[in-house]
């Protein structure tokens, strides 16, 4: 698609306060970017040189966010999260 025909997508970036309530207590997420074309992007910031266990942190973040979204019927399509509003 040419640049002249592209429509600007609406986006929102939530920094510093996104917290998901879980049975184990609050689960903080550093930032969440929501874009109507790209969907949801979770940011987990790494401090220091070593990133051991980072894949597990990413999986936990994605799983907890998906579980939270499943509580909203309007975001569900069958048994999966995803409508024209949220891409899965």
């Amino acid at each position: 698609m040419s640049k002249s025909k592209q429509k600007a997508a609406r986006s929102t970036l939530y920094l510093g306060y996104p917290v998901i309530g879980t049975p184990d207590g609050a689960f903080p997420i550093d930032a969440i970017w929501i874009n109507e074309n790209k969907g949801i992007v979770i940011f987990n910031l790494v401090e220091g040189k070593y990133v051991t266990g980072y894949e597990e942190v990413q999986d936990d973040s994605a799983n907890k966010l998906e579980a939270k979204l499943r509580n909203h019927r309007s975001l569900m399509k069958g048994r999966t999260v995803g409508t024209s509003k949220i891409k899965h």
Side-chain angles (χ1 to χ4, degrees):
M1 183 182 308
S2 71
K3 287 185 178 183
S4 62
K5 293 183 180 182
Q6 288 180 350
K7 177 183 169 188
R10 292 181 294 183
S11 296
T12 304
L13 178 64
Y14 297 95
L15 294 170
Y17 66 88
V19 174
I20 297 174
T22 70
D24 298 326
F27 184 83
I29 293 178
D30 295 320
I32 297 176
W33 178 56
I34 302 172
N35 177 280
E36 67 182 357
N37 292 335
K38 300 294 182 186
I40 298 174
V41 177
I42 300 170
F43 293 90
N44 294 107
L45 304 179
V46 176
E47 295 181 29
K49 297 178 186 179
Y50 307 105
V51 287
T52 58
Y54 193 68
E55 286 183 16
E56 185 177 331
V57 172
Q58 289 179 316
D59 289 342
D60 278 351
S61 296
N63 290 333
K64 287 180 171 117
L65 179 60
E66 183 174 349
K68 192 67 165 177
L69 295 175
R70 286 179 173 277
N71 291 324
H72 301 277
R73 179 171 272 172
S74 63
L75 299 177
M76 298 298 297
K77 184 173 185 181
R79 295 181 183 176
T80 60
V81 176
T83 67
S84 60
K85 297 176 187 173
I86 302 289
K87 293 184 180 181
H88 184 53

